[in-house]
Amino acid sequence: MLLSTSISRAASLCIEKRLPFAIYMMPGSDHVIFLAGDESTQCNSDVDHGFFISEFNTSGRRIMIAPRYTAEQIIENADTIATRDSAAVKPVDCSTPRDEYDNALNKVVNGLKLRGGKTVISRVICGDAADIDWLSVAEKYFTCFPSTFRYLYYTAATGAWLGASPELLLECDNAGNLSTMSLAGTRMKSSDAAWDDKNREEHDYVTRYIVDKLLSLGINAAVGCAENVSYGAIEHLCHRITARYAGNPFIVADMLSPTPALAGTPLDKALNDITLNERHPRRCYGGYVGVTDSEGTHIFVNLRCVHFDEARYCIYAGGGITAKSESATEWDETSAKSQVLLNAINQSRS
């Protein structure tokens, strides 16, 4: 089992009592970390250690969960921990209809044919959560993607979210090394096929954007070789990007987020497309999550995720749209991205 009995019990108690907490696992690690504590709206990277959350397109605004309590302390004091009065943000309760998605995609594609660029359009898959064991979902989902940043967290400001992100937004260690990645372009796994023009174009937008943003901060970055990164039955085109940097990591993170992989480019036009064509609020989807620990700051894009409460769940899935996109292909891509999570949910019903 990935999640110990004590961690599962403590997390369940935190959800029940509306106490801010986070469970997370670093990429490639089988070590599960639990922390719980008071939340705040300001995160100062030079003094604060703990788990943080930034919602989509809210640069500079973060929620911090500081490590005040261990799982054992939560369990030992369960009878004395009062249930908080604050009501959490509720998940979206209606899935995106297919015809609405097709119409939105066609409008965006027609606009991109005139101006160029890329826009990321998402949809939501919603359902009844009344009989779902969310710690069981986490166990199943985390096991499927050991190379990702896996997380489950709750705050009153965000509600409860669970995800497994393959996308590193930024990592800065104590030795002054900066790492990020350009991760865009999606297809079913293929061992030797060349990437098509649509996916290469989408990916190149992201790579250029990241390198240019870093350069605007005086950071000269090196771009590694192209590689394929697997995620279940699908894979993404990836370039890893490195540099030297000893400043505040959140300055860089807020400059990069939202990236073209989650919003688009040019950013202002892509955000306008999202506002006009997505009827659901993104909330944490497309923002970032991460942790500051003794080794540095590790920040990941909040995607392949679900927002849930005791009654409903809402899975978010998106895709990069260019002038060459087709709505049927993009719908299938979002289905593939969400299928493992949806399976874990359905298998965890009591």
Side-chain angles (χ1 to χ4, degrees), residues 56-57 59 118 167 169 180-184 201-217 219 221 223 241 251-271:
F56 180 74
N57 200 31
S59 178
K118 165 189 169 181
E167 184 169 353
L169 177 67
T180 183
M181 64 167 58
S182 169
L183 188 76
E201 180 179 305
E202 178 188 344
H203 178 82
D204 289 344
Y205 284 139
V206 179
T207 305
R208 288 196 300 269
Y209 180 90
I210 293 173
V211 171
D212 288 347
K213 285 293 184 181
L214 292 176
L215 190 59
S216 73
L217 293 173
I219 302 171
V223 180
I241 300 169
I251 293 175
V252 183
D254 290 333
M255 175 75 79
L256 293 177
S257 181
T259 74
L262 271 298
T265 185
L267 182 59
D268 58 343
K269 291 181 172 59
L271 291 174

Coordinates of all heavy atoms in Angstrom, one line a residue, residues 56-57 59 118 167 169 180-184 201-217 219 221 223 241 251-271:
F56 N -5.6 29.0 -11.3 CA -5.3 29.4 -12.7 C -5.4 31.0 -12.8 O -6.3 31.6 -12.4 CB -6.3 28.8 -13.6 CG -6.2 29.2 -15.1 CD1 -5.2 28.6 -15.8 CD2 -7.0 30.1 -15.7 CE1 -5.0 28.9 -17.1 CE2 -6.9 30.4 -17.0 CZ -5.8 29.8 -17.7
N57 N -4.3 31.5 -13.4 CA -4.2 32.9 -13.8 C -4.4 33.8 -12.6 O -5.1 34.9 -12.7 CB -5.2 33.2 -14.9 CG -4.9 34.5 -15.6 OD1 -3.7 34.9 -15.8 ND2 -5.9 35.2 -16.1
S59 N -1.6 35.2 -10.6 CA -0.2 35.4 -10.4 C 0.0 36.1 -9.0 O -0.6 37.1 -8.7 CB 0.4 36.3 -11.5 OG 1.7 36.5 -11.2
K118 N -2.0 29.6 -30.4 CA -2.6 28.4 -29.8 C -3.4 28.8 -28.6 O -3.1 29.8 -27.9 CB -1.4 27.5 -29.3 CG -1.8 26.4 -28.3 CD -0.5 25.7 -27.8 CE -0.9 24.8 -26.6 NZ 0.3 24.2 -26.0
E167 N 3.8 17.4 -15.4 CA 4.5 18.6 -15.9 C 5.1 19.4 -14.8 O 4.4 20.0 -13.9 CB 3.5 19.5 -16.6 CG 4.1 20.7 -17.3 CD 3.2 21.4 -18.2 OE1 2.1 20.9 -18.5 OE2 3.6 22.5 -18.7
L169 N 6.6 22.7 -13.6 CA 6.6 24.1 -13.9 C 8.0 24.7 -13.6 O 8.6 25.4 -14.4 CB 5.5 24.9 -13.2 CG 5.5 26.4 -13.4 CD1 5.1 26.7 -14.9 CD2 4.6 27.1 -12.5
T180 N 13.0 23.3 -15.6 CA 11.6 23.3 -16.0 C 11.5 22.4 -17.3 O 12.4 21.7 -17.6 CB 11.1 24.8 -16.3 OG1 9.7 24.8 -16.7 CG2 11.9 25.4 -17.4
M181 N 10.3 22.4 -17.9 CA 10.1 21.6 -19.1 C 9.1 22.2 -20.0 O 8.2 22.9 -19.6 CB 9.7 20.2 -18.7 CG 8.4 20.0 -18.0 SD 7.8 18.3 -18.0 CE 9.1 17.5 -17.1
S182 N 9.3 21.9 -21.3 CA 8.3 22.2 -22.3 C 7.6 20.9 -22.6 O 8.2 20.0 -23.1 CB 8.9 22.8 -23.5 OG 8.0 22.8 -24.6
L183 N 6.3 20.8 -22.1 CA 5.6 19.5 -22.3 C 4.3 19.8 -23.0 O 3.3 20.4 -22.4 CB 5.3 18.9 -20.9 CG 4.6 17.5 -20.9 CD1 5.7 16.5 -21.2 CD2 4.0 17.2 -19.6
A184 N 4.2 19.5 -24.3 CA 3.0 19.8 -25.1 C 3.0 19.0 -26.3 O 4.1 18.6 -26.8 CB 2.9 21.3 -25.5
E201 N 4.0 21.9 -33.8 CA 3.8 23.3 -33.8 C 3.3 23.7 -32.4 O 3.8 24.7 -31.8 CB 2.7 23.7 -34.8 CG 2.3 25.1 -34.9 CD 1.3 25.4 -36.0 OE1 1.5 25.0 -37.1 OE2 0.2 26.0 -35.6
E202 N 2.4 23.0 -31.8 CA 1.9 23.2 -30.5 C 3.0 23.2 -29.5 O 3.1 24.1 -28.6 CB 0.8 22.2 -30.1 CG 0.3 22.4 -28.7 CD -0.6 21.2 -28.3 OE1 -1.1 20.4 -29.2 OE2 -0.9 21.0 -27.1
H203 N 3.9 22.2 -29.6 CA 5.0 22.1 -28.7 C 6.0 23.2 -28.8 O 6.5 23.7 -27.8 CB 5.7 20.7 -28.9 CG 6.9 20.5 -28.0 ND1 6.8 20.1 -26.7 CD2 8.2 20.7 -28.3 CE1 8.0 20.0 -26.2 NE2 8.9 20.4 -27.1
D204 N 6.3 23.6 -30.0 CA 7.3 24.7 -30.2 C 6.9 26.0 -29.6 O 7.7 26.8 -29.2 CB 7.6 24.8 -31.7 CG 8.4 23.6 -32.3 OD1 9.0 22.9 -31.5 OD2 8.4 23.5 -33.5
Y205 N 5.5 26.2 -29.7 CA 5.0 27.5 -29.0 C 5.5 27.5 -27.6 O 5.9 28.5 -27.1 CB 3.5 27.5 -29.1 CG 2.9 27.8 -30.4 CD1 1.8 27.2 -30.9 CD2 3.4 28.9 -31.2 CE1 1.2 27.5 -32.1 CE2 2.8 29.2 -32.4 CZ 1.7 28.5 -32.9 OH 1.1 28.8 -34.1
V206 N 5.3 26.4 -26.9 CA 5.6 26.3 -25.5 C 7.1 26.5 -25.2 O 7.5 27.3 -24.3 CB 5.1 25.0 -24.9 CG1 5.4 24.9 -23.4 CG2 3.6 24.8 -25.1
T207 N 7.9 25.8 -26.0 CA 9.3 25.9 -25.8 C 9.8 27.3 -25.9 O 10.6 27.9 -25.1 CB 10.1 25.0 -26.7 OG1 9.6 23.6 -26.6 CG2 11.6 25.0 -26.5
R208 N 9.4 28.0 -27.0 CA 9.8 29.4 -27.3 C 9.4 30.3 -26.2 O 10.1 31.2 -25.7 CB 9.3 29.8 -28.6 CG 10.0 29.2 -29.8 CD 9.7 30.0 -31.1 NE 8.3 30.0 -31.4 CZ 7.7 29.1 -32.1 NH1 8.3 28.1 -32.7 NH2 6.4 29.2 -32.4
Y209 N 8.1 30.1 -25.7 CA 7.6 30.9 -24.7 C 8.4 30.9 -23.4 O 8.8 31.9 -22.8 CB 6.1 30.5 -24.4 CG 5.4 31.3 -23.3 CD1 4.7 32.5 -23.7 CD2 5.5 30.9 -22.0 CE1 4.1 33.2 -22.7 CE2 4.8 31.7 -21.0 CZ 4.1 32.8 -21.4 OH 3.5 33.5 -20.4
I210 N 8.7 29.6 -23.0 CA 9.5 29.5 -21.7 C 10.9 30.1 -21.8 O 11.3 30.8 -20.9 CB 9.6 28.0 -21.4 CG1 8.2 27.4 -21.0 CG2 10.5 27.7 -20.2 CD1 8.1 25.9 -20.8
V211 N 11.6 29.8 -22.9 CA 12.9 30.3 -23.1 C 12.9 31.8 -23.1 O 13.8 32.5 -22.5 CB 13.6 29.7 -24.4 CG1 14.9 30.5 -24.7 CG2 13.8 28.2 -24.2
D212 N 11.9 32.4 -23.8 CA 11.8 33.9 -23.9 C 11.5 34.5 -22.5 O 12.1 35.6 -22.2 CB 10.8 34.3 -24.9 CG 11.2 34.1 -26.3 OD1 12.4 33.8 -26.6 OD2 10.3 34.1 -27.2
K213 N 10.6 33.9 -21.8 CA 10.3 34.4 -20.4 C 11.5 34.4 -19.5 O 11.7 35.3 -18.7 CB 9.1 33.6 -19.8 CG 7.8 33.9 -20.4 CD 7.3 35.3 -20.1 CE 5.9 35.6 -20.6 NZ 5.5 37.0 -20.3
L214 N 12.2 33.3 -19.5 CA 13.4 33.2 -18.7 C 14.4 34.2 -19.1 O 15.0 34.9 -18.2 CB 14.0 31.8 -18.8 CG 13.2 30.6 -18.2 CD1 13.9 29.3 -18.5 CD2 13.0 30.8 -16.7
L215 N 14.6 34.4 -20.4 CA 15.6 35.4 -20.9 C 15.2 36.8 -20.4 O 16.0 37.7 -20.1 CB 15.7 35.4 -22.4 CG 16.8 36.2 -23.1 CD1 18.1 35.7 -22.5 CD2 16.7 36.0 -24.6
S216 N 13.9 37.1 -20.4 CA 13.4 38.4 -19.9 C 13.7 38.7 -18.5 O 13.8 39.9 -18.0 CB 11.9 38.5 -20.1 OG 11.2 37.8 -19.2
L217 N 14.0 37.6 -17.7 CA 14.5 37.8 -16.3 C 16.0 37.7 -16.2 O 16.5 37.6 -15.1 CB 13.8 36.7 -15.5 CG 12.3 36.7 -15.3 CD1 11.8 35.5 -14.5 CD2 11.9 38.0 -14.5
I219 N 17.8 35.2 -17.4 CA 18.2 33.8 -17.2 C 18.4 33.1 -18.5 O 17.5 33.0 -19.3 CB 17.1 33.0 -16.4 CG1 16.8 33.7 -15.1 CG2 17.5 31.6 -16.2 CD1 15.6 33.1 -14.4
A221 N 18.9 30.0 -20.6 CA 18.5 28.6 -20.4 C 19.1 27.7 -21.5 O 19.3 28.2 -22.7 CB 17.0 28.5 -20.4
V223 N 18.3 24.2 -23.6 CA 17.2 23.3 -24.0 C 17.7 21.9 -24.3 O 18.6 21.8 -25.2 CB 16.4 23.8 -25.2 CG1 15.2 22.9 -25.5 CG2 15.8 25.2 -24.8
I241 N 14.4 21.9 -19.8 CA 15.1 23.2 -19.9 C 15.8 23.5 -18.5 O 15.2 23.3 -17.5 CB 14.1 24.3 -20.2 CG1 13.4 24.0 -21.5 CG2 14.8 25.7 -20.2 CD1 12.2 24.9 -21.8
I251 N 9.1 34.2 -8.3 CA 9.1 35.3 -9.4 C 9.1 34.6 -10.7 O 8.4 35.0 -11.6 CB 10.4 36.1 -9.2 CG1 10.3 37.0 -7.9 CG2 10.6 37.0 -10.4 CD1 11.5 37.8 -7.6
V252 N 9.9 33.5 -10.9 CA 9.9 32.8 -12.2 C 8.6 32.0 -12.4 O 8.0 32.1 -13.5 CB 11.1 31.9 -12.2 CG1 11.2 31.2 -13.6 CG2 12.4 32.6 -11.9
A253 N 8.1 31.4 -11.3 CA 6.9 30.6 -11.5 C 5.7 31.4 -11.9 O 4.9 31.1 -12.8 CB 6.6 29.9 -10.2
D254 N 5.6 32.6 -11.3 CA 4.5 33.5 -11.7 C 4.7 34.1 -13.0 O 3.7 34.5 -13.7 CB 4.3 34.6 -10.6 CG 3.8 34.0 -9.3 OD1 3.1 33.0 -9.3 OD2 4.1 34.6 -8.2
M255 N 5.9 34.2 -13.5 CA 6.1 34.7 -14.9 C 5.8 33.6 -15.9 O 5.2 33.9 -16.9 CB 7.6 35.0 -15.0 CG 8.0 35.4 -16.4 SD 7.5 37.1 -16.9 CE 8.7 38.1 -16.0
L256 N 6.0 32.3 -15.5 CA 5.7 31.2 -16.5 C 4.3 30.8 -16.4 O 3.8 30.2 -17.4 CB 6.6 30.0 -16.1 CG 8.1 30.2 -16.3 CD1 8.8 28.9 -15.9 CD2 8.4 30.5 -17.8
S257 N 3.6 31.0 -15.3 CA 2.2 30.5 -15.2 C 1.2 31.5 -15.5 O 1.3 32.6 -14.9 CB 2.0 29.9 -13.8 OG 0.7 29.4 -13.6
P258 N 0.1 31.2 -16.3 CA -0.1 29.9 -16.9 C 0.7 29.8 -18.2 O 0.9 30.8 -19.0 CB -1.6 30.0 -17.3 CG -1.9 31.4 -17.4 CD -1.0 32.1 -16.4
T259 N 1.3 28.6 -18.4 CA 2.2 28.4 -19.6 C 1.3 28.2 -20.8 O 0.1 27.9 -20.7 CB 3.0 27.2 -19.4 OG1 2.2 26.0 -19.5 CG2 3.7 27.2 -18.1
P260 N 1.8 28.3 -22.0 CA 1.1 28.0 -23.2 C 0.5 26.5 -23.2 O -0.4 26.3 -23.9 CB 2.1 28.2 -24.3 CG 3.1 29.1 -23.8 CD 3.2 28.7 -22.3
A261 N 1.1 25.6 -22.4 CA 0.6 24.3 -22.3 C -0.7 24.2 -21.6 O -1.5 23.2 -21.8 CB 1.6 23.4 -21.6
L262 N -1.1 25.2 -20.9 CA -2.4 25.3 -20.1 C -3.2 26.4 -20.5 O -4.4 26.5 -20.1 CB -2.1 25.3 -18.6 CG -2.0 23.9 -17.9 CD1 -3.3 23.1 -18.0 CD2 -0.8 23.1 -18.4
A263 N -2.7 27.4 -21.2 CA -3.5 28.6 -21.6 C -3.4 28.8 -23.1 O -4.3 28.7 -23.8 CB -3.0 29.8 -20.9
G264 N -2.1 29.1 -23.6 CA -2.0 29.3 -25.0 C -1.0 30.5 -25.3 O -0.4 31.0 -24.4
T265 N -0.9 30.8 -26.5 CA -0.1 32.0 -26.9 C -0.6 32.6 -28.2 O -1.1 31.9 -29.1 CB 1.4 31.5 -27.1 OG1 2.2 32.7 -27.4 CG2 1.5 30.5 -28.2
P266 N -0.6 33.9 -28.4 CA -0.2 34.9 -27.4 C -1.1 34.8 -26.2 O -2.3 34.5 -26.3 CB -0.4 36.2 -28.1 CG -0.4 35.9 -29.6 CD -0.9 34.5 -29.7
L267 N -0.6 35.0 -25.0 CA -1.3 34.7 -23.7 C -2.6 35.5 -23.6 O -3.6 35.0 -23.2 CB -0.4 35.0 -22.5 CG -1.0 34.7 -21.2 CD1 -1.4 33.2 -21.1 CD2 0.0 35.0 -20.1
D268 N -2.5 36.8 -23.9 CA -3.7 37.6 -23.7 C -4.9 37.2 -24.6 O -6.1 37.1 -24.2 CB -3.4 39.1 -24.0 CG -2.9 39.4 -25.3 OD1 -2.4 38.4 -26.0 OD2 -2.9 40.6 -25.8
K269 N -4.6 36.8 -25.9 CA -5.6 36.3 -26.8 C -6.1 35.0 -26.4 O -7.3 34.7 -26.5 CB -5.1 36.3 -28.2 CG -4.9 37.7 -28.8 CD -4.4 37.7 -30.2 CE -4.3 39.0 -30.9 NZ -3.4 40.0 -30.2
A270 N -5.2 34.1 -25.9 CA -5.6 32.8 -25.5 C -6.5 32.9 -24.2 O -7.6 32.2 -24.2 CB -4.4 31.9 -25.1
L271 N -6.2 33.7 -23.3 CA -7.0 33.9 -22.1 C -8.4 34.4 -22.5 O -9.4 34.1 -21.9 CB -6.4 34.8 -21.1 CG -5.1 34.2 -20.4 CD1 -4.4 35.3 -19.6 CD2 -5.4 33.0 -19.6

